[in-house]
Amino acid sequence: MGEISIERKHLDRLLADSASTYGAPYQRAFAQLAEERRGRPVAEILPLLRRAADEALLGFRDADLREQAQAISTGEPYVFRVTVA
């Protein structure tokens, strides 16, 4: 399970808000990778997640992205906690 901290003013970067240009694209990218890359090596998935997170301006730590990539690789559900400051 991953954890990220995000400032309240940037919460829209994470949530799927139709008015947001941030979170929804990352959620779509994650879902697409989960569908297309299941069973593939973490090393192949990780840079794709990093690019999607960077484009969405999300502050995932490397360890968080590695956990997400591992979940995609194994097909396991991924759950993370968000702390809003």
Side-chain angles (χ1 to χ4, degrees), residues 68-85:
Q68 292 178 35
Q70 182 66 38
I72 289 172
S73 179
T74 63
E76 294 291 322
Y78 181 78
V79 177
F80 63 93
R81 292 182 207 166
V82 177
T83 303
V84 179

Side-chain angles (χ1 to χ4, degrees), residues 9-10 48 63:
K9 66 182 178 182
H10 298 302
L48 302 172

